[in-house]
Coordinates of all heavy atoms in Angstrom, one line a residue:
Chain N
M1 N -4.7 -13.3 -40.8 CA -4.6 -13.1 -39.4 C -3.7 -14.2 -38.8 O -4.2 -15.1 -38.0 CB -6.0 -13.2 -38.7 CG -6.7 -11.9 -38.7 SD -6.2 -10.8 -37.5 CE -7.0 -9.4 -37.7
S2 N -2.5 -14.2 -39.2 CA -1.6 -15.2 -38.6 C -0.7 -14.6 -37.4 O 0.6 -14.7 -37.3 CB -0.5 -15.7 -39.6 OG 0.2 -14.7 -40.2
T3 N -1.5 -14.0 -36.5 CA -0.8 -13.3 -35.4 C -0.4 -14.3 -34.3 O 0.4 -13.8 -33.4 CB -1.6 -12.1 -34.8 OG1 -2.9 -12.8 -34.5 CG2 -1.7 -11.0 -35.8
G4 N -0.9 -15.5 -34.3 CA -0.6 -16.5 -33.3 C -1.4 -16.1 -32.0 O -1.2 -16.9 -31.0
L5 N -2.4 -15.1 -32.0 CA -3.2 -14.9 -30.8 C -4.3 -15.9 -30.8 O -4.8 -16.5 -31.8 CB -3.8 -13.5 -30.9 CG -2.9 -12.3 -30.7 CD1 -3.5 -11.0 -31.1 CD2 -2.5 -12.2 -29.2
P6 N -4.8 -16.3 -29.5 CA -5.9 -17.0 -29.5 C -7.2 -16.5 -30.1 O -7.3 -15.3 -30.1 CB -6.2 -17.3 -27.9 CG -5.0 -16.5 -27.2 CD -4.4 -15.7 -28.3
L7 N -8.0 -17.4 -30.7 CA -9.2 -16.9 -31.3 C -10.0 -16.0 -30.5 O -10.6 -15.0 -30.9 CB -10.0 -18.1 -31.7 CG -11.2 -17.7 -32.7 CD1 -10.6 -17.2 -34.0 CD2 -12.1 -19.1 -32.8
T8 N -10.3 -16.3 -29.2 CA -11.1 -15.4 -28.4 C -10.5 -14.0 -28.2 O -11.3 -13.0 -28.2 CB -11.2 -16.0 -26.9 OG1 -9.9 -16.3 -26.4 CG2 -12.1 -17.1 -27.0
V9 N -9.3 -13.8 -28.3 CA -8.7 -12.5 -28.2 C -9.1 -11.8 -29.5 O -9.5 -10.6 -29.5 CB -7.2 -12.5 -28.0 CG1 -6.6 -11.0 -28.1 CG2 -6.8 -13.2 -26.6
I10 N -8.9 -12.4 -30.7 CA -9.2 -11.8 -31.8 C -10.7 -11.4 -32.0 O -11.0 -10.2 -32.4 CB -8.9 -12.7 -33.1 CG1 -7.4 -12.9 -33.1 CG2 -9.3 -12.1 -34.3 CD1 -6.9 -14.1 -34.0
L11 N -11.6 -12.3 -31.4 CA -12.9 -12.0 -31.5 C -13.5 -10.9 -30.6 O -14.3 -10.0 -31.0 CB -13.8 -13.2 -31.1 CG -13.9 -14.3 -32.3 CD1 -14.6 -15.4 -31.8 CD2 -14.4 -13.7 -33.6
T12 N -12.6 -10.7 -29.5 CA -13.2 -9.5 -28.5 C -12.2 -8.4 -28.8 O -12.6 -7.4 -28.1 CB -13.0 -10.1 -27.1 OG1 -11.7 -10.7 -26.8 CG2 -14.1 -11.2 -26.8
A13 N -11.2 -8.5 -29.5 CA -10.4 -7.3 -29.7 C -11.3 -6.2 -30.4 O -12.1 -6.5 -31.2 CB -9.2 -7.6 -30.6
P14 N -10.8 -4.9 -30.1 CA -11.7 -3.9 -30.8 C -11.5 -3.9 -32.3 O -10.4 -4.3 -32.9 CB -10.9 -2.6 -30.4 CG -9.7 -3.1 -29.7 CD -9.8 -4.4 -29.4
S15 N -12.6 -3.8 -33.0 CA -12.6 -3.9 -34.3 C -12.2 -2.6 -35.0 O -11.9 -1.7 -34.2 CB -14.0 -4.3 -35.0 OG -14.7 -3.1 -35.0
A16 N -12.1 -2.4 -36.3 CA -11.7 -1.2 -36.8 C -12.7 0.0 -36.5 O -12.3 1.1 -36.8 CB -11.5 -1.4 -38.4
R17 N -13.8 -0.4 -36.2 CA -14.9 0.6 -36.0 C -15.1 1.0 -34.5 O -16.2 1.6 -34.3 CB -16.2 0.2 -36.7 CG -16.0 0.3 -38.2 CD -17.4 0.3 -38.9 NE -18.1 1.5 -38.6 CZ -19.3 1.4 -38.2 NH1 -20.0 0.4 -37.9 NH2 -19.9 2.7 -38.0
T18 N -14.3 0.6 -33.6 CA -14.7 0.9 -32.2 C -13.4 1.3 -31.4 O -12.4 0.9 -31.7 CB -15.6 -0.2 -31.6 OG1 -16.1 0.4 -30.3 CG2 -14.9 -1.4 -31.2
E19 N -13.8 1.7 -30.2 CA -12.6 2.1 -29.4 C -12.4 1.1 -28.3 O -13.1 0.2 -28.0 CB -13.0 3.4 -28.6 CG -12.9 4.6 -29.6 CD -14.1 4.7 -30.6 OE1 -15.3 4.3 -30.2 OE2 -13.9 4.7 -31.8
P20 N -11.1 1.2 -27.5 CA -10.9 0.4 -26.5 C -11.9 0.4 -25.4 O -12.5 1.7 -25.3 CB -9.5 0.8 -26.0 CG -9.1 2.0 -26.8 CD -10.0 2.0 -28.0

Side-chain angles (χ1 to χ4, degrees):
Chain N
M1 275 276 180
S2 56
T3 49
L5 284 169
L7 188 64
T8 47
V9 173
I10 294 170
L11 284 178
T12 53
S15 83
R17 289 196 68 232
T18 192
E19 287 71 44

